[in-house]
């Protein structure tokens, strides 16, 4: 965590709209421990006046832009929010930074956090490199691709000091249970069918969330301006193999027979336009900035499963009506 780092003595202003997936109480401990250096502001990145007021109120020298609508299935169901937040919101932030910094870009930085999905879908071989052509295929990835282009346009046109990262699938504590790994853990806890889309042969490259954080920080500190750095787990798994492994990890933690949860696996209707395979080449980040993944996947999965099993209150608090409606809608229609 940034505020814990000995080489970071600044303040963090956390701007979050707290939509369905946001939960300020996830950061209660941080707020208590760093009350003088952590400021929470609820607001919308599309609200230009509000964003400008933050630049006016605080001396902001760096922006780390992580705000996004991020779930592919939701983008298929309702693309509009993705265009608003990911495209208009990124534009608003970029323009607010440009105006607030007014051409004095010394020691300023705008870092944009993006996704490997902008590169499209791979077949059985090959990797996404930083210079792979963009080929987004869902409303979500198209909106992220647009935002990436805006970031680079601000670099080339206005000289705004930017860096960008494109990361593979994250997992770990606090992930909203709409993504594959926490969905499967929750379904196992509830002893409900485990919904594997299609044949389960799609491949994702998994990275522990804290490794994503250290990579972003490395790029913010040492990355070259105007450059993109890919971040990945170098850890490709077919969904069905991952779900089987997850069943074994949960079974072991809950003292059940190794095969216990596997009988719940259920193949359901596929996601439209489902990207087949993502695989990141992150050599640039490793060789230029000396970053590497810290955790092996077995260890990371165990940590994640234990966190979800131990933090039932957090899960129950976020399972609002909206969450239940989404789960019902997404999975009933499959
Ligand atoms: O690659 C980075 C991207 O990874 C991020 O930019 C996105 O924000 C993030 O949502 C994630 O996108 P995916 O679509 O790959 O993640 P998701 O967890 O939704 O799905 C992972 C795989 O598992 C995908 O092949 C679809 C499948 N799946 C997913 C869910 C939720 C299932 O088979 N069943 C499910 O219930």
């Amino acid at each position: 965590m940034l505020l814990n780092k000995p080489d970071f003595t600044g303040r963090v202003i956390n701007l979050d709209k707290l939509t369905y997936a946001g939960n300020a109480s996830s950061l209660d401990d941080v707020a208590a421990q760093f009350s003088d250096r952590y400021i929470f502001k609820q607001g919308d990145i599309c609200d230009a006046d509000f964003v400008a007021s933050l630049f006016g109120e605080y001396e902001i020298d760096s922006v780390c832009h992580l705000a996004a609508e991020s779930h592919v299935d939701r983008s298929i169901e309702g693309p509009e929010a993705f265009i608003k937040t990911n495209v208009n919101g990124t534009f608003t932030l970029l323009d607010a930074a440009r105006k607030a910094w007014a051409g004095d870009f010394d020691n300023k930085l705008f870092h944009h956090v993006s996704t490997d999905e902008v590169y499209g879908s791979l077949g059985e071989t090959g990797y996404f490199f930083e210079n792979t052509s963009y080929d987004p295929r869902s409303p979500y990835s198209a909106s992220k691709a647009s935002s990436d282009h805006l970031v680079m346009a601000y670099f080339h046109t206005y000289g705004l000091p930017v860096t960008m990262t494109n990361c593979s699938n994250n997992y770990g504590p606090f992930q909203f249970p709409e993504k594959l790994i926490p969905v499967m853990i929750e379904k196992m806890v509830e002893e409900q069918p485990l919904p594997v889309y299609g044949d389960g042969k799609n491949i994702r490259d998994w990275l522990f969330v804290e490794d994503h954080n250290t990579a972003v920080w490395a790029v913010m500190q040492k990355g070259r301006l105007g450059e993109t750095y890919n971040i990945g787990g170098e850890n490709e798994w077919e969904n069905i193999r991952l779900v089987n492994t997850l069943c074994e990890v949960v079974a072991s933690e809950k003292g059940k027979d190794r095969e216990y949860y596997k009988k719940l696996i259920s193949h359901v209707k596929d996601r439209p336009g489902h990207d087949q395979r993502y695989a990141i080449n992150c050599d640039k980040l490793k060789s230029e900035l000396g970053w590497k993944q810290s955790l092996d996947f077995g260890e990371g999965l165990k940590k994640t499963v234990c966190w979800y099993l131990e933090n039932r209150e957090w899960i129950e608090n976020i399972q609002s009506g909206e969450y239940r409606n989404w789960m019902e809608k997404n999975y009933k229609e499959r």
Side-chain angles (χ1 to χ4, degrees), residues 85-103:
T85 300
N86 300 355
V87 184
N88 296 350
T90 299
F91 161 71
T92 306
L93 280 182
L94 283 164
D95 215 48
R98 175 177 77 90
K99 287 176 179 156
W101 293 336

Side-chain angles (χ1 to χ4, degrees), residues 47-226:
D47 182 344
D49 291 341
F50 183 66
V51 174
S53 78
L54 293 182
F55 274 96
E57 190 176 351
Y58 303 100
E59 263 175 59
I60 296 173
D61 57 19
S62 306
V63 175
C64 180
H65 173 30
L66 299 122
E69 291 286 342
S70 72
H71 193 43
V72 176
D73 295 319
R74 283 188 190 255
S75 83
I76 296 166
E77 186 62 31
E80 197 179 338
F82 287 71
I83 305 306
K84 279 195 178 138
T85 300
N86 300 355
V87 184
N88 296 350
T90 299
F91 161 71
T92 306
L93 280 182
L94 283 164
D95 215 48
R98 175 177 77 90
K99 287 176 179 156
W101 293 336
D104 177 10
F105 294 147
D106 276 358
N107 297 315
K108 307 286 196 307
L109 181 68
F110 188 105
H111 180 76
H112 180 58
V113 175
S114 192
T115 170
D116 61 356
E117 297 198 13
V118 296
Y119 300 122
S121 176
L122 291 165
E124 276 172 24
T125 56
Y127 293 93
F128 296 138
F129 292 83
E130 285 80 359
N131 61 0
T132 299
S133 300
Y134 275 31
D135 183 22
R137 295 150 48 101
S138 73
Y140 161 65
S141 52
S143 69
K144 289 298 286 183
S146 311
S147 69
D148 292 9
H149 290 317
L150 279 169
V151 170
M152 286 308 166
Y154 268 66
F155 173 72
H156 290 291
T157 308
Y158 303 111
L160 193 78
V162 308
T163 47
M164 188 157 91
T165 44
N166 292 73
C167 190
S168 65
N169 286 64
N170 280 210
Y171 72 99
F174 293 106
Q175 188 171 37
F176 194 77
E178 64 187 356
K179 307 284 166 92
L180 178 70
I181 289 180
V183 162
M184 292 300 165
I185 298 172
E186 284 312 296
K187 296 279 184 195
M188 282 183 239
V189 169
E190 292 165 16
E191 307 227 353
Q192 283 182 13
L194 309 178
V196 174
Y197 296 169
D199 60 9
K201 292 196 182 301
N202 304 71
I203 292 175
R204 296 294 182 264
D205 171 5
W206 294 94
L207 179 72
F208 193 63
V209 60
E210 285 170 21
D211 285 338
H212 187 180
N213 297 343
T214 59
V216 167
W217 186 232
V219 172
M220 288 184 73
Q221 283 185 302
K222 300 178 282 183
R224 284 180 292 136
L225 295 181

Side-chain angles (χ1 to χ4, degrees), residues 154-295:
Y154 268 66
F155 173 72
H156 290 291
T157 308
Y158 303 111
L160 193 78
V162 308
T163 47
M164 188 157 91
T165 44
N166 292 73
C167 190
S168 65
N169 286 64
N170 280 210
Y171 72 99
F174 293 106
Q175 188 171 37
F176 194 77
E178 64 187 356
K179 307 284 166 92
L180 178 70
I181 289 180
V183 162
M184 292 300 165
I185 298 172
E186 284 312 296
K187 296 279 184 195
M188 282 183 239
V189 169
E190 292 165 16
E191 307 227 353
Q192 283 182 13
L194 309 178
V196 174
Y197 296 169
D199 60 9
K201 292 196 182 301
N202 304 71
I203 292 175
R204 296 294 182 264
D205 171 5
W206 294 94
L207 179 72
F208 193 63
V209 60
E210 285 170 21
D211 285 338
H212 187 180
N213 297 343
T214 59
V216 167
W217 186 232
V219 172
M220 288 184 73
Q221 283 185 302
K222 300 178 282 183
R224 284 180 292 136
L225 295 181
E227 291 286 321
T228 292
Y229 294 83
N230 281 350
I231 310 171
E234 299 178 300
N235 178 37
E236 289 180 51
W237 284 69
E238 260 187 7
N239 292 339
I240 188 67
R241 187 172 149 239
L242 170 53
V243 172
N244 271 285
T245 302
L246 207 47
C247 286
E248 291 172 14
V249 178
V250 176
S252 147
E253 292 307 318
K254 290 186 73 83
K256 304 271 194 206
D257 175 70
R258 189 183 153 92
E259 303 299 304
Y260 184 81
Y261 292 106
K262 293 186 187 171
K263 62 178 183 292
L264 296 174
I265 292 176
S266 155
H267 289 266
V268 298
K269 195 170 144 226
D270 211 350
R271 172 185 283 174
H274 197 170
D275 288 340
Q276 185 55 39
R277 173 172 165 257
Y278 303 148
I280 277 275
N281 178 297
C282 53
D283 287 352
K284 178 177 172 183
L285 175 64
K286 290 175 131 179
S287 62
E288 263 188 40
L289 306 184
W291 173 86
K292 60 179 191 316
Q293 304 90 348
S294 70
L295 216 65

